[in-house]
Amino acid sequence: MYLCDFKTYKETSINKQILVIEDEPNVAAFISQGLQESGYKVFVAYDGLQGLELLQQKNIDLVVLDIILPKMDGREVAKKIREMGNESLPIIMLTALGTTDNIVKGLDAGADDYLIKPFKFIELLARIRARTRNKQVLVGCSNSLKLADLELDMDAKFVERAGSKIKLTSTEFRLLEYLLINKNRVLSRVDILENVWDINFNLGTNVVDVYVNYLRNKIDKDYETKLIHTVIGMGYILKEE
C-alpha cells in the first residue's frame, strides 16, 4: 500500500531560468520575448553544441528544444543532456513532425513533452508551467514502490524485478511510477496522458499504447507472472495476475 505523505512546493516563474535551443531567429525571439514578459530569465542557443555549453554554464530549470538544429539535432542534444546527469531537467521538444513515430522518437531521446509547430505561445507557456509548478515531494518514508517482485526506487531512479535491474527511459520510468502509485486501479489513456505527460496530448495518437508495450517488453516479457493488463474499452491496470 502506498503510505507516503506528500508535501507540495508551489513554484512560480520568478527566478526560473529557461534555455531555448532554436536555430530560427524569429522563432527564438518570439519565444524569448514571451517568456521574459512572463517573468522567466531566458538564454538562447542557435545550435545544439551551443545549447549544451550554456546548459553547463547556467542553472537551467527547463529546456525548450527544437528537433531540427545545425551541428547536432535535437534528439542527440536531448540524449546528451540526460547523459550529462540531468535526469530530472524538463525538456519540451518542438517539432514540425506530429506523427506518433516522430513523437515517440523524441520522447525516447529524453524529452518530457512535445509541441507541434506552428504553435500558440500560450500553449507553450501552459506546458512550461505544468513542468515547473506544484512539485510534490515525498516526506516521511522511503521513496520506493513495489508490486510482487517488481520494485521502483524514485530516489535512485532504478527499477528491478526479481532482483534483476531493468533499464528504462525517463518516459517509461514516469509511466511505471504512475501505474505503481495507482496499482489495482484501471487507468484510462486520458488519465495516463494527463498525469505522465502533464498535458492533454493529441488523442489521435497512440503514444500511450506504444509506451505500455515498451514497458511490457521490459518488465513482463521474460516473467511468468504478468503485471500489466489491458481492460478492453477502458484502459490499463497494474496488478498481480
Side-chain angles (χ1 to χ4, degrees), residues 18-22 28-29 31-32 36 42-46 50-51 54:
I18 309 295
L19 174 59
V20 177
I21 308 177
E22 167 62 65
I31 295 173
S32 178
Q36 289 180 59
V42 183
F43 300 94
V44 178
Y46 296 99
Q50 184 185 22
L54 277 173

Side-chain angles (χ1 to χ4, degrees), residues 177-222:
E177 180 182 4
Y178 184 64
L179 291 173
L180 278 166
I181 289 172
N182 294 279
K183 61 186 178 184
N184 300 316
R185 176 187 167 201
V186 177
L187 301 170
S188 71
R189 290 169 178 80
V190 174
D191 288 332
I192 295 170
L193 284 171
E194 291 182 346
N195 287 278
V196 175
W197 282 274
D198 290 338
I199 202 71
N200 289 313
F201 270 39
N202 178 1
L203 296 182
T205 70
N206 62 336
V207 169
V208 170
D209 305 285
V210 169
Y211 271 87
V212 168
N213 284 332
Y214 282 176
L215 272 185
R216 277 184 165 141
N217 286 333
K218 292 184 177 182
I219 71 168
D220 271 350
K221 184 177 178 181
D222 297 326

